[in-house]
Amino acid sequence: MLNSRFIRRELTSSPQQSIILVLCVALSMVTLVSLGGFSESVDSSLLRDARALHAGDIIVHSNYDLSSPLSEAISSLRRKGMIDAVRVYEFYSLVRAPDREGSILGDLKVVETGYPFYGTVELRSGRSFRDTLQKGGIIVEENLLGRLGLKVGDRVKIGSATLTILDVVTKEPDRPVNIFSLGPRIFISAEDLNEIDLVKKGSRVMYKALLKVHDERDLETVAADLSKTAMKGQEHVETFKTSESRIKRFFDNLLFFMSLIGIFTLLLAGIGIQSALTSFLREREKTVAIMKALGGTGRFITSNFAVIVSILGITGTILGLLISFSLQGFFPVLFRGILPGDVVPVISWSAVLQGIALGVMVVALFTFLPLYRLEDVKPASILGREEIRSKRGLLYYSVFAAALILSTVMVVWRFGEVKTGLYFVSGTIALIIISSLGAEFILLFMKKADVRSLALRQAFRGLFRPGNSTRAIIITLTASLTVISAIYLIELNLDADFIRSYPADAPNLFFLDIQPSQKDEFARTLGIKTEYYPVVRARIASINGEPVNPQDEQRRVGDDLTREFNLTYRDYLLSDEKIIKGKGLYMDGWDGLQVSVLDTVLKMRGLKIGDSITFNIQGVPLEARVSSIRTRIKASIQPFFYFVFPEKSLMDAPQTIFSAVRVEKERIPGLQNLMVSRFPNVSAIDMTEMVSLFSRVMGRLSVIARFFTLFGVVAGVLIVISSVLATRYARIQEAVYFKILGARSTFVLTVFALENIILGIVSAIFALIFAQVATWIVCKKVLEIPFTLFTGTSLIIILSAIFLATTTGLLASISVLRQRPVIFLREETKE
Amino acid sequence: MNILEAREITKRYTIGDRQVPVLDGVSLTVMNGEFVVVEGRSGSGKSTLLSLLSGLDRPTYGRVFIEGQDITDLSEDELAPVRNGTIGFVFQSFHLVPSLTTLENVIFPAELRGDPDALKKGEELLRRVGLLERGGNFPHQLSGGEKQRCAICRAMINDPKVIFADEPTGNLDSENGRAVLELLLKLREERKTTLVLVTHDMEISKMADRIVTLKDGIITGERRHAQ
């Protein structure tokens, strides 16, 4: 049945189309496989050692100092010899050189001797961390030295203490990346805790106890016992097995988002595979017709071509795997700033198997229909150039439906969640359908258009050339350009409206953790009239008697009710607030505690006037009735609070004061120094610097997202090349005829160039419209920031798309343009 | 006056490491308005002679002149105005542009030179040959005879001085072939166009003013048709 000579000859007879097909198969899997492998590399390099990631077996943490029962329970276990334990305190505070201006926000970690139980804190000197960190000294990140112009041996002021820089930390086991940090790391010995005098009641500190169990079999029992003693909702006890590292969560989310782009690229590459194979087989229609005329059965023909396609598919899969491995080597550069540089690429066999499965599935799904089409080639087509019209019967639609279902199943499996997976598939299909409809509309217009210019008319006609994948090109380029443009436009909007155009009247220097007793003196020292906001930290225990379920809340996208909230108290509305439900901030004649709620809370849980919310303020329950719903009149960088209580109700609760002022940028360092030196417990945060940090991170993430989306654009480029190759004969024929009839080479070049320019313009305009709509939705509905069109950037996107389509099409057409008429005619006459 | 002149043209093709001679030192002149048939058996070199005379190909040796202009070494772009205005082609395989309608194929050369009356001229020609109603059809929708009539109209639209026809009836049945030839000759007569036609059909040869016989790449005979 199989004819190996035929298969061999056919594989080598049109190498260019074969290469395109192979590249499309490779492209379909490269993103997903490389990300899968990279995920394992990150895991094994950074995250696999969960003990080191948490620096202990059991992690007890709270935003408040550990309660006496819990502390006593830990001490008791220590006395019994069951565990070792160290206390760790993490918080931000300003750090400054004593004899000069300038301070920076440091990420402080105060640790007792014994930290870390697992993993190693590596120092630049090579010395042991435990031997180096002593009372009176600190170990800092390199960044701090650079920014303050200091070196090892110099002294810095932290809180009320002046400490000496002993060494530089180069690696920290429970903080493999510092993307979440607002400042450089500073390790301080717990023996200096009182000296620095920053850990006070109400201070914004993460209190931890890291435990190491002597007998691993006691792990679960110890954790369970401590959990029973811990204050519900305030103190948390987790083991290294159950605790989800923030880093790991971040990378899981990041790589998940990237794999969305990978699935998107896979679908576009699938269109490329179908298009390339259709072109490949179209060139062989005459061969198939001859074979049938000589007695070849449909089965014989289809099976031989299926083998050819399989060989190309396997080659593409292997190439895809090789490219994926190579790409992983590039990822440390791509993810620089987010990942440390020593992530070692590993070969993930699960990613390899997944890649092979993907390659097989994609080839099978997207090549079935072109192969099926071979059935429709009739022997009589040898005698004429009649278009072969495929009958779209039950089998056609069944396969189409199967492809759709399988793709959906794969996406949903990847997501791990049906609803989100279906949203993604629907969105992608909607994008493809709308692009198709747009393409049809434009092509219809071009068909009927009465154009004066001869070259333009010929270019329009060229788009309808049999075998031209005009629709596939428009759809693929539009879809991929939409995604890449939307990512870029969202980043620009964030940058302009949130980061760069920091409002001229918005406060740029925030003061946190002012103690109530310090307020008057603070205000005198500051000397700037400003608002002081009391802040009481609390969690929500229940709403209308129904406890808040942590599992349900954490599944929600966005904010959730289980986090800690900042409550405040006042009897007036702020200038940027208004009441949307209720008669005023509070109800007259109501007994009991009242609370005014910001409408943002309603996105997490529907609430109405009269509903009751029970708060937990450091273990003390507090029930209040909803007296009004407020909204913010404009988005601004002014402080705002979700829950506002009447002034008298929370005055005696443990609290800190928060304030914010607007000063000239040059005054910030001096003012920071002044306030912190007088009030060492107060954190003074330069918001413009924070915003700048956020911008850098966002920029980095955007670059990464756009890099992966480029693969979708490559799919579009491959289809353009494939289309030109598929219609090579027709293009040569046209070029020769034009020349015979007296056209110059420039005319022929102009016609082909215009054809590709039109493809570029149509794709770019559609992509831009869709991208702007998507950006508007994200800006207005998700991020709630103003939306800007960015016409200049939009124009650049259009021009880039035109350039891409034109250059690709013309480069692929060079050999056509060089064809001499006489050679073509001679070949034709011979036939 | 000689509208066409070939001086000692030789054409050799290189196939692998061999040189295959197709024409050997052929000299030929064609007078203005003359109807010349180049006859010979298959492989005699008559189509090659046609392609050299029309500038489609270049001789290995020798010179070719059209209206006194030496076209031998002209580039493709320099030949463009000659192909557009001075000469017209009718091929055995028609060679119509498949993406253009019948009318568009006919008027294409006129549009290339920016003729404002291209459409009018095209329609007139199609009416003359009985194809006006098929003006909106594409080549694949035409019969062989219709395609060739369309090709003749296309060749004539710019009133060329010379028409080169390479076996114009070769792909047609006898009835269509006769009709096409009559049309070609009639139009040629009306417009006083020089016609150089390649054929192996003796019946067609009888209609020519002069018959040039080729054998194995050289002219072996030349005779005038008795008036």
Side-chain angles (χ1 to χ4, degrees), chain B:
Chain B
M1 179 199 155
N2 291 335
I3 193 148
L4 279 178
E5 189 181 346
R7 288 181 198 167
E8 293 286 323
I9 52 174
T10 298
K11 182 69 183 175
R12 291 182 192 148
Y13 291 110
T14 305
I15 299 169
D17 55 0
R18 287 191 307 132
Q19 287 256 306
V20 178
V22 180
L23 286 180
D24 194 7
V26 169
S27 293
L28 178 68
T29 56
V30 177
M31 304 246 307
N32 200 2
E34 207 178 358
F35 173 19
V36 176
V37 157
V38 179
E39 67 171 18
R41 288 159 78 154
S42 182
S44 58
K46 50 187 192 298
S47 292
T48 303
L49 177 60
L50 200 77
S51 65
L52 294 176
L53 285 175
S54 62
L56 279 182
D57 201 355
R58 239 177 246 166
T60 314
Y61 301 110
R63 314 303 294 176
V64 178
F65 298 82
I66 295 181
E67 277 196 305
Q69 182 189 10
D70 187 345
I71 66 162
T72 318
D73 296 322
L74 292 185
S75 68
E76 289 286 308
D77 277 357
E78 284 165 342
L79 281 168
V82 176
R83 289 173 182 164
N84 187 247
T86 310
I87 61 182
F89 290 99
V90 179
F91 299 98
Q92 180 180 355
S93 303
F94 325 123
H95 292 312
L96 299 174
V97 181
S99 58
L100 300 181
T101 61
T102 308
L103 179 58
E104 287 166 349
N105 263 286
V106 169
I107 67 176
F108 186 83
E111 287 189 304
L112 267 178
R113 75 191 322 196
D115 186 344
D117 296 323
L119 188 63
K120 209 165 90 177
K121 286 181 184 171
E123 283 172 344
E124 177 54 36
L125 274 165
L126 283 178
R127 187 180 300 114
R128 282 291 313 275
V129 306
L131 278 181
L132 189 58
E133 294 79 36
R134 304 301 296 274
N137 289 121
F138 289 91
H140 71 267
Q141 295 170 310
L142 304 179
S143 68
E146 288 169 337
K147 284 183 199 171
Q148 199 60 295
R149 277 185 274 160
C150 173
I152 291 169
C153 294
R154 183 181 68 180
M156 291 287 190
I157 190 148
N158 282 343
D159 284 323
K161 299 277 171 45
V162 189
I163 297 277
F164 292 98
D166 187 358
E167 306 259 22
T169 59
N171 280 357
L172 304 173
D173 59 77
S174 52
E175 194 185 324
N176 270 312
R178 206 166 31 247
V180 158
L181 192 63
E182 275 169 20
L183 175 64
L184 190 57
L185 294 178
K186 193 170 173 186
L187 286 172
R188 175 237 152 199
E189 183 66 38
E190 283 170 14
R191 292 168 185 231
K192 306 285 184 253
T193 312
T194 307
L195 176 60
V196 180
L197 190 147
V198 161
T199 186
H200 58 264
D201 188 338
M202 297 301 185
E203 293 301 312
I204 296 173
S205 299
K206 287 177 189 169
M207 300 177 200
D209 297 330
R210 185 156 56 105
I211 301 148
V212 174
T213 309
L214 268 183
K215 187 181 176 189
D216 296 331
I218 53 175
I219 293 177
T220 54
E222 217 176 298
R223 62 188 189 278
R224 289 209 164 268
H225 183 245
Q227 296 285 326

Side-chain angles (χ1 to χ4, degrees), chain A residues 702-724:
Chain A
S702 171
V703 163
I704 292 167
R706 278 185 277 145
F707 170 80
F708 286 105
T709 318
L710 272 177
F711 287 103
V713 176
V714 170
V717 165
L718 286 175
I719 294 180
V720 170
I721 297 172
S722 164
S723 174
V724 170

Side-chain angles (χ1 to χ4, degrees), chain A residues 274 298 302 364-376 390-405:
Chain A
Q274 183 155 8
T302 309
L365 278 178
F366 287 96
T367 60
F368 179 84
L369 288 171
L371 283 172
Y372 174 66
R373 202 174 170 274
L374 289 175
E375 286 280 322
D376 300 325
S390 286
K391 297 186 295 292
R392 291 193 172 175
L394 182 64
L395 183 60
Y396 176 91
Y397 289 110
S398 302
V399 170
F400 190 79
L404 197 61
I405 291 166

